[in-house]
Amino acid sequence: MLRHDARRLAASDDGMVSAPTRKNSPGGVGEYLMTLAIGTPPVSYPAIADTGSDLIWTQCAPCSDHQCFKQPTPLYNPASSTTFGVLPCGSPLSMCAVAPAPAGCSCPYNSYNYTYGTGWTAGVQGSETFTFGSSPADQTRVRGIAFGCSNASSDNFKGSSGLVGLGRGAVSLVSQLDAGRFSYCLTPFQDTSSTSTLLLGSSASLDGITGVGSTPFVASPATALDTFYYLNLKGISLGTMALSIPPDAFSLNTDGTGGLIIDSGTTITMLVDAAYRQVRAAILSLVTLPTKDGSESELDLCFALPSPKSAPPDMPSMTLHFDGADMVLPPESYMITYTENSLWCLMMGRRRDGEMSTLGNYQQQNMHILYDVGQETLSFAPTKCSML
C-alpha cells in the first residue's frame, strides 16, 4: 500500500513532496531542520534532516523529562491521532525484519533502540499519515509511513522534535516514498532567519543551474550498512597547493571500514588522520595569528583574533577533488568565527586512519545538492541558498 501511494504521488501534478528547511535555533546542535506534520489531525514538528541514517522518528507522549529531551513543539500523542497504528513485526519496513536484526529490536511490539555516532533513541515503530508542504495549497499527505515513536532519547537532538532519516535503507523517507532523487540547499550556518526547501521526487533538479559538478556514489561493500552515500574523494587542495594526502586515504575497504560519506546530519567534516594532518599543516603555514585552545568549541585548530570585531585574514578556497568533479569551498565554508571569544577555527576534525570520513553540513552550506539515487550520482553547484 505504501509503494502504491508513493507511485501515485510521483504521478501527481508536481510529482514531489517538499518541506521547509532551516538552520537549527540558537543553542541547538548545529543541524538543519525540515518541517513536516504527523497524524490526523496533523501535528507539525521540526526534525533534523539526516542523510547519514534511515529511521524517521519523533518523541511521543507519554515521555517524562528524564527520558526525553526538551523540544520546541508539543509531544506527538498517538492516542490523539485517528491514523496511528503499531507497525506489525511482519512488515517489510520493520527494523526487526532486517537480518541480522539491530540490537535492541524486539517483537511483538516492534520496539527499537537506534544508535548514532553520538546519541540514541528508543521506542516502538508505528505507521502514520505524514503531511508535507508549508501551506494548504502545496500540501501532500502520504499514508502508511513507518516511523519511530520514541519515548526515550539522549539529549543530542536539542532544538528539534525528532529526526528524518534520508539514507539509502528501506525505512528512510527517501525509500518509503520511492522518491528516486531529492535535493536541498543549506543556508549559511550562522543565518538562522533564512529558509530553503528540501524536495523529494521529480521536482528535485539542478536543471538550468550553471557550474554543476557530478560524482558517482561508491557502492557499499556487502559487509557495510546500506544506509550511507559513499563518495570517492581523491584529494584536497588549498588554493593552488595540492596536499600530500595518500591516494588510498579515503578508500572504502572490502570489510566495510574506511571510505567517505556525505552526511547532512553531521556538522563538522571529519577526516582520517593522514588527510587531516595535511589540511591542518597547510592552514598553519598560511596564518600568522597565534593559535588558541578551541576545546570549548570541540575544535582542534583555532586562532586568536585581535578583538571580537576583527575580520579574519584572507584565505584561499579549499577544493575537494571528487571522482569527476571538484567541490570548491570558500573560506567561510571551512573556517568559522566565534565573535564572543575572538576565535577563528577550522571546522574539521580528526578520525583515526582506517575509520570512515564524513563530509559534514558546515561544508555543504550555500551548495545546491542533488542526490539521484536512481542514477547513483551526487550533483552539486555553488548557490546562494537563502535566495531560493
Side-chain angles (χ1 to χ4, degrees):
M1 187 64 175
L2 177 62
R3 291 293 181 181
H4 173 75
D5 286 345
R7 286 195 293 269
R8 182 154 53 84
L9 174 68
S12 65
D13 290 341
D14 57 10
M16 70 169 185
V17 296
S18 65
T21 307
R22 63 179 174 81
K23 178 67 182 63
N24 207 350
S25 57
V29 292
E31 303 289 5
Y32 288 83
L33 307 178
M34 59 185 290
T35 302
L36 63 166
I38 182 172
T40 306
V43 177
S44 180
Y45 78 103
I48 295 168
D50 183 21
T51 61
S53 67
D54 294 325
L55 183 67
I56 306 163
W57 62 272
T58 188
Q59 295 190 123
C60 293
C63 195
S64 64
D65 290 342
H66 73 275
Q67 290 177 306
C68 287
F69 57 87
K70 186 177 181 180
Q71 65 178 49
T73 57
L75 291 171
Y76 161 76
N77 189 344
S80 301
S81 172
T82 60
T83 47
F84 171 80
V86 174
L87 189 73
C89 276
S91 166
L93 296 175
S94 166
M95 291 169 58
C96 293
V98 177
C105 183
S106 63
C107 286
Y109 298 108
N110 221 339
S111 60
Y112 62 86
N113 189 325
Y114 197 92
T115 59
Y116 298 85
T118 55
W120 58 273
T121 187
V124 174
Q125 264 189 296
S127 174
E128 254 296 11
T129 295
F130 277 66
T131 302
F132 304 89
S134 56
S135 64
D138 70 355
Q139 283 184 343
T140 302
R141 288 171 62 82
V142 183
R143 301 187 300 273
I145 294 288
F147 78 108
C149 192
S150 290
N151 45 39
S153 300
S154 62
D155 62 357
N156 305 78
F157 313 98
K158 289 179 180 178
S160 76
S161 298
L163 186 146
V164 173
L166 299 170
R168 308 190 71 170
V171 299
S172 79
L173 183 62
V174 178
S175 297
Q176 292 198 54
L177 293 179
D178 203 14
R181 59 187 182 185
F182 65 98
S183 67
Y184 56 70
C185 196
L186 303 181
T187 53
F189 193 79
Q190 293 175 316
D191 177 1
T192 58
S193 60
S194 298
T195 62
S196 57
T197 301
L198 183 144
L199 300 175
L200 299 102
S202 60
S203 290
S205 171
L206 299 185
D207 292 347
I209 297 177
T210 59
V212 176
S214 296
T215 185
F217 293 130
V218 177
S220 304
T223 53
L225 293 174
D226 61 359
T227 297
F228 301 124
Y229 297 97
Y230 286 99
L231 302 174
N232 182 13
L233 179 59
K234 302 169 72 175
I236 300 174
S237 297
L238 189 61
T240 59
M241 183 186 353
L243 306 186
S244 299
I245 297 172
D248 61 348
F250 303 108
S251 295
L252 179 59
N253 303 312
T254 55
D255 63 357
T257 59
L260 175 138
I261 66 167
I262 180 169
D263 185 3
S264 66
T266 294
T267 304
I268 300 169
T269 287
M270 303 296 291
L271 303 176
V272 289
D273 184 65
Y276 177 79
R277 281 188 288 107
Q278 294 294 321
V279 171
R280 190 182 194 278
I283 290 174
L284 279 169
S285 72
L286 296 177
V287 178
T288 58
L289 293 171
T291 57
K292 188 175 180 180
D293 178 28
S295 57
E296 185 178 334
S297 302
E298 299 183 356
L299 297 172
D300 169 67
L301 179 60
C302 290
F303 300 94
L305 294 171
S307 73
K309 295 183 179 180
S310 298
D314 291 335
M315 290 288 284
S317 295
M318 181 181 294
T319 303
L320 307 181
H321 302 285
F322 290 105
D323 182 11
D326 289 342
M327 180 180 285
V328 180
L329 307 177
E332 61 270 20
S333 290
Y334 67 86
M335 301 292 294
I336 186 170
T337 301
Y338 293 100
T339 55
E340 65 276 11
N341 49 9
S342 303
L343 277 181
W344 185 55
C345 303
L346 173 64
M347 280 291 277
M348 291 184 174
R350 186 195 314 263
R351 290 253 168 90
R352 290 193 297 269
D353 288 337
E355 292 186 334
M356 183 175 67
S357 297
T358 304
L359 178 63
N361 62 38
Y362 191 83
Q363 280 66 39
Q364 297 175 53
Q365 62 182 326
N366 274 338
M367 193 77 64
H368 200 166
I369 300 177
L370 172 68
Y371 295 69
D372 194 323
V373 182
Q375 295 297 316
E376 294 286 338
T377 58
L378 181 88
S379 299
F380 48 86
T383 306
K384 192 172 183 179
C385 294
S386 59
M387 301 298 292
L388 293 181

